[in-house]
Amino acid sequence: MLLVSYEFGAFLIILAALYYVVPDRFQWAVLLAFSYLFYARGGVIYLLYPLITTASTCFLARAMGDRTLRFQAWVKEKKPGREEKTAYNRKVKAGQRRLLVLGLVLNFGILTILKYCRFFLENVNAFLGLGGGEGAWGDWILPLGISYYTFQSMGYLIDVYYRKYEPEKSPVRFALFVSFFPQMVAGPISRFDQMRQELYSPHRFQMENIILGARRMLWGYFKKLVVADRLGPAVVVIISSPETYDGIYVLLGMVGYTIWMYADFAGGMDIVLGSAKLFGISLPENFDRPFASKSLGEFWRRWHMTLMLWLREYIFFPVSTSRLAKRVSKPVSKIMGKKAAGKVPVYIATLTVWLVAGIWHGASWNFIAWGLANGVVLLVSQELTGCYRRFHAAFSFGKTRAYEIFQVIRTFFIFAFLEMFEYYSFGTVFAMGKSLLTCWSAGQLFDGRFEALGLSGADLGVLALGVALMVWSGFRKTKEAEKGEHRTFFAGYIAVFGLFLLVVVTGVYGRGYDASQFIYNQF
């Protein structure tokens, strides 16, 4: 079921009517039933995958939790000494670790087979010179949201292993955490300890939640239909023909692709978070004004925040403290000293995180190159931290507002350049970068190529308005925005109606490609 469809609107209305009519204790069950209905619209057979993840994760987590409870009961009854307690706990953890590995292998195995097997076979066959490589795997369709609910479920399993909280006993209730319909499309990747109260607690009907949810959804539809779907076809023309669109068009492609992706992804997240808010449920935010960032590191703390937090907690920290990372750093210590050796685990963990981030985004060498390029730039920036500090201490203009604006613009273009690895091959990225620096002029905009992009004067005007509104909204602080939304119901109604008119009057509905699909659906 598409988020941009009349069917989804009817789905929400019917669900809201039932949700607020049934007794409080059944509200979560209504959400679960409709979540499965939402997922089944893409094909009933695909329900099998989230059901396997739900059953396996719940069973293994409960098994780990039971072992923890038995250990705690044993300690309470026997009151063992420190060594005896540590030895018994080590034995318990060994058994829990086997359960954890089983869950990770099973669920990441399903994700790997469905999402990456074709990529792997094509590359193996290309390496061996066999040709082809698609076979039966080419006909498999990737289930909706599998990367999101797999990461979310495995995060829960790892948390239970580390005893951060007790596991959910009911597999039916846990199923709602795995398959809550708004976040099945494009996230966010939630944590169970954050969502337990939100999903299972009763929610009374409040007009305030309806207004806030509708306003957030309409703002998302504005980003999607007014900006992303108007800009997208033109960007596709540019990035699909690097041999034609060089020079200044490389800059237009970089900037256009970045704005297109942000409007599409952030718009989708607004629809998702607004949909959940209609039922009084607050999902974690995924964006925090990323284009106000002054460095790439800060940018990635503000963009796709739930994925970045997941990668940091479940990959960066375990890898950086692993025995392997410490073992690799030992020879470095002998050659280059302890200071250099201390950085090795961070380097390994950072590159691992960004390799996984690239692979997560897509089964292609483009995404792998994109991920590693981000990791390298972040590590270089980290190494230059001392130089930045000395520069800011030596020159007073480094503390001015003008310099801060420069940092924001610089970060935007660094991000936009790195995004080129997603749609160009590795060599083409640098060739196009050279073209941008050496052979461009404003006159190229009037040589007939711009007209082929399909953007009329009216389109450009609406795009300028849409981007301006996004910039204005992005620089409003969250707390100030919430206060403004809570002033009066009348103001809320006016805002919702105004956004509705903007979307209806200026929106684009499926011109030139499947505008109903979001970019991040494929991930």
Side-chain angles (χ1 to χ4, degrees), residues 212 215 476 478-488 491-492:
L212 291 177
R215 180 174 177 178
R476 293 172 62 199
T478 304
K479 291 184 179 180
E480 293 176 347
E482 289 179 351
K483 288 180 181 178
E485 289 170 347
H486 283 78
R487 285 174 186 168
T488 63

Side-chain angles (χ1 to χ4, degrees), residues 50 53-54 149 152-153 173-180 183-184:
T53 296
T54 299
Y149 72 71
Q152 182 166 295
S153 301
R173 284 164 62 92
F174 180 71
L176 179 59
F177 170 70
V178 176
S179 57
F180 183 45
Q183 60 187 22
M184 290 293 279

